[in-house]
Amino acid sequence: DIQMTQSPSSVSASVGDRVTITCRASQGISSWLAWYQQKPGKAPKLLIYAASSLQSGVPSRFSGSGSGTDFTLTISSLQPEDFATYYCQQANSFPLFGGGTKVEIK
Amino acid sequence: QVQLVQSGAEVKKPGSSVRVSCKASGGPFSSYALNWVRQAPGQGLEWMGAIIPIFGIANHAQKFKGRVNITADKSTTTAYMELSSLRSEDTAVYYCARDFVRVGGTSFPWFDPWGQGTPVTVSS
């Protein structure tokens, strides 16, 4: 079975910082990866799909990259509304989420 | 724009069953997979299974096989997830989410939109 490992599990950052979150698959998944943002008490929101495609309406400060086993979500300039938990999800086989990364205020 | 509206919060006893509904409106229902994802308190997201209503056949995560039953009613555009033999570890928020559909109708196994979530508490 594919395993998805996200790192770090949490990160403290300030408004304006560049934040990078990584997701590693235990075997190659091509570009079958999505990223979600979740705020407390809310459903997850799709940010990035197919590893690097920005979902409609998502600010361009969010970007995704990678293929195969290693993937990255980058927030180029952190905004107050970006403090949330982020999850990767592989879709090469049955859907599986990473463990999540909480982006906290420094 | 498809919207998914779920049924309300549930409190159940250990050993019982719970059924959560997810009604779709505003867009196509039958041709695209409807997934169920749960989130235990303070924990991450866990995919449970999915159904494509037009086919009526569900896939389930191995962990839930034998305990989960996912169905769909095309006439009411509503999907259901029933989880049986409940235990305290099943306390979670249960979400439905549709496969992402691009303009043109092609679907992909990313999840958008999502329902608002249904809290299920299992407690004696």
Side-chain angles (χ1 to χ4, degrees), chain B residues 8 17 23 25 31 43 111:
Chain B
S17 298
K23 180 168 176 60
S25 62
S31 301
Q43 302 301 308
F111 302 152

Side-chain angles (χ1 to χ4, degrees), chain B residues 44-110:
Chain B
L45 301 167
E46 182 175 35
W47 181 80
M48 300 179 68
I51 189 167
I52 301 176
I54 196 170
F55 298 126
I57 299 173
N59 283 317
H60 309 101
Q62 184 66 34
K63 174 178 179 178
F64 299 102
K65 283 189 177 176
R67 270 208 315 142
V68 69
N69 185 33
I70 296 173
T71 58
D73 184 338
K74 296 188 295 294
S75 67
T76 60
T77 65
T78 302
Y80 300 91
M81 187 284 300
E82 183 170 22
L83 188 62
S84 60
S85 303
L86 289 170
R87 37 219 191 216
S88 58
E89 309 88 270
D90 295 317
T91 294
V93 177
Y94 289 76
Y95 294 100
C96 60
R98 197 193 68 174
D99 273 9
F100 173 67
V101 179
R102 290 190 69 174
V103 172
T106 305
S107 67
F108 296 88
W110 337 112

Side-chain angles (χ1 to χ4, degrees), chain A residues 45-47 49 53-59, chain B residues 100 112:
Chain A
K45 173 187 174 183
L46 179 66
L47 298 177
Y49 60 91
S53 296
L54 192 68
Q55 169 66 326
S56 175
V58 174
Chain B
F100 173 67
D112 181 78

Side-chain angles (χ1 to χ4, degrees), chain B residues 12-54:
Chain B
K12 295 292 182 179
K13 300 284 190 188
S16 66
S17 298
V18 67
R19 190 171 85 152
V20 180
S21 68
C22 172
K23 180 168 176 60
S25 62
F29 171 76
S30 295
S31 301
Y32 305 112
L34 198 293
N35 299 269
W36 289 92
V37 176
R38 77 175 186 180
Q39 185 171 39
Q43 302 301 308
L45 301 167
E46 182 175 35
W47 181 80
M48 300 179 68
I51 189 167
I52 301 176
I54 196 170

Side-chain angles (χ1 to χ4, degrees), chain A:
Chain A
D1 291 354
I2 297 175
Q3 306 295 321
M4 302 299 294
T5 304
Q6 238 182 283
S7 60
S9 57
S10 66
V11 57
S12 294
S14 301
V15 172
D17 284 353
R18 182 182 184 90
V19 173
T20 299
I21 299 167
T22 64
C23 186
R24 174 165 289 174
S26 58
Q27 61 191 76
I29 58 170
S30 186
S31 295
W32 291 99
L33 188 102
W35 290 97
Y36 299 85
Q37 176 194 68
Q38 187 180 32
K39 295 183 178 180
K42 299 294 186 181
K45 173 187 174 183
L46 179 66
L47 298 177
I48 302 283
Y49 60 91
S52 61
S53 296
L54 192 68
Q55 169 66 326
S56 175
V58 174
S60 59
R61 62 181 179 272
F62 291 93
S63 64
S65 64
S67 68
T69 60
D70 294 311
F71 302 87
T72 299
L73 173 71
T74 299
I75 310 171
S76 61
S77 178
L78 199 65
Q79 297 302 301
E81 59 269 30
D82 300 337
F83 291 98
T85 301
Y86 295 83
Y87 294 93
C88 61
Q89 177 230 326
Q90 74 84 16
N92 186 64
S93 57
F94 286 142
L96 179 66
F97 294 90
T101 296
K102 187 174 184 179
V103 177
E104 300 175 299
I105 299 173
K106 190 171 187 178

